[in-house]
Amino acid sequence: HQSRGEESSRREHQSCEVMADSAAPRPTVLVTGAGGRTGHIVYTKLKERSEQFVARGLVRTEESKQKIGGADDVYIADIRDADRLAPAVQGTDALIILTSGVPKMKPGFDPSKGGRPEFYYEDGMYPEQVDWIGQKNQIDAAKAAGVKHIVLVGSMGGTNPNHPLNSLGNGNILVWKRKAEQYLADSGVPYTIIRPGGLLDKVGGVRELIVGKDDELLQTDTKSIPRADVAEVCVQALQYEEAKFKAFDLASKPEGVGTPTKDFRALFSQITARF
């Protein structure tokens, strides 16, 4: 007959096997724009939660890859080139899109002389190419690869075609972002569209977050939010059914006002708008 030690170790082994079977495999999540300021925070958060997620990043250049640690899970591709996206999205369960056109300030601006700086976009890097075509390419590639959830970070202000951001470099950036948001909402893939207000480089996790719709928050004093909080909402959105097929504006109360948001299911449950 078996000794008691053998018997208990056999039982332990069986229960471990059962646990391994019942534990769902960790979803693989690709963050594009992982070299950007908010994208890098999302990528880092996913890496820190390796018991929950398998992280991947996508950047445009080798330089960006090295800047965020140069790990093998960081892919290099230009989102404007649809054919280059397949390897990065292959086998991913969720996609978080954080790519965006970035206006640059024209040299020679002297703040002491008053006036406003002028902005421009580099050739080939206009919002139409990056925020529209580049995001459409990502959505198409993800859909083709069977990705089950796409989180897209857009921007508040899209309901107003005359928003000042649209005049920067004549790029119409919010117009093209909104076109990509609409394309995602029409894609059939479960989505979460997050439209943050002004992005702050402040500590995350210490503010009460506010959701809204149709740019109503732009009429209030609470229309900005730390990048770290936007990043956290991206990661949390992957975990709740309540976040799917929804679009919302996102801002925060000032630090020290209200109660820091910890219950993300409740936050997502407040949202009813699909676009």
Side-chain angles (χ1 to χ4, degrees):
H1 70 99
Q2 286 183 318
S3 74
R4 190 169 297 158
E6 278 176 343
E7 174 62 27
S8 70
S9 79
R10 190 173 65 85
R11 273 207 309 270
E12 267 173 48
H13 183 69
Q14 279 176 330
S15 70
C16 284
E17 277 180 335
V18 169
M19 274 169 61
D21 286 346
S22 63
R26 295 171 303 160
T28 298
V29 184
L30 172 66
V31 183
T32 63
R37 284 186 290 174
T38 310
H40 185 203
I41 302 172
V42 175
Y43 173 70
T44 304
K45 282 179 179 286
L46 291 168
K47 297 277 277 191
E48 286 167 352
R49 296 173 206 186
S50 55
E51 74 293 341
Q52 270 182 289
F53 303 105
V54 179
R56 285 187 192 177
L58 182 85
V59 296
R60 193 164 52 95
T61 62
E62 178 65 40
E63 187 189 354
S64 284
K65 175 171 177 166
Q66 295 312 322
K67 193 179 79 179
I68 64 168
D72 290 342
D73 56 31
V74 178
Y75 294 71
I76 300 172
D78 190 322
I79 59 167
R80 298 168 302 171
D81 182 354
D83 300 336
R84 299 284 305 280
L85 294 172
V89 295
Q90 209 54 51
T92 54
D93 299 290
L95 167 65
I96 303 177
I97 300 179
L98 270 155
T99 48
S100 180
V102 180
K104 305 209 160 172
M105 197 187 292
K106 285 188 180 169
F109 173 66
D110 181 352
S112 67
K113 293 186 176 149
R116 290 183 170 213
E118 286 190 49
F119 288 87
Y120 71 101
Y121 291 94
E122 290 177 348
D123 266 353
M125 302 297 282
Y126 272 83
E128 180 176 0
Q129 292 147 317
V130 178
D131 296 81
W132 164 233
I133 311 244
Q135 299 202 17
K136 178 180 180 294
N137 286 344
Q138 293 176 66
I139 294 160
D140 289 344
K143 190 172 177 174
V147 167
K148 298 188 270 295
H149 190 183
I150 300 177
V151 177
L152 173 66
V153 178
S155 173
M156 257 192 251
T159 61
N160 174 13
N162 301 316
H163 193 285
L165 281 179
N166 284 324
S167 62
L168 288 187
N170 293 321
N172 273 330
I173 188 161
L174 297 181
V175 174
W176 294 113
K177 280 185 185 295
R178 195 138 181 110
K179 199 168 160 71
E181 292 170 8
Q182 187 66 61
Y183 189 79
L184 173 57
D186 294 338
S187 70
V189 180
Y191 63 86
T192 307
I193 296 167
I194 302 169
R195 303 182 182 116
L199 296 169
L200 308 169
D201 291 312
K202 302 264 196 203
V203 65
V206 297
R207 292 171 176 238
E208 183 171 323
L209 305 185
I210 311 166
V211 291
K213 64 177 199 292
D214 299 333
D215 292 332
E216 289 159 357
L217 293 174
L218 288 179
Q219 313 310 317
T220 71
D221 294 335
T222 47
K223 50 178 177 272
S224 57
I225 181 167
R227 290 175 188 279
D229 285 325
V230 176
E232 185 64 32
V233 171
C234 288
V235 175
Q236 294 288 342
L238 302 175
Q239 302 175 59
Y240 296 105
E241 287 297 316
E242 288 85 352
K244 286 180 179 168
F245 298 106
K246 287 185 178 174
F248 55 97
D249 299 342
L250 182 65
S252 66
K253 293 185 179 174
E255 211 174 307
V257 176
T259 315
T261 296
K262 300 279 182 251
D263 183 345
F264 287 90
R265 173 173 278 144
L267 186 76
F268 297 133
S269 297
Q270 293 172 33
I271 302 156
T272 53
R274 291 176 72 92
F275 191 78

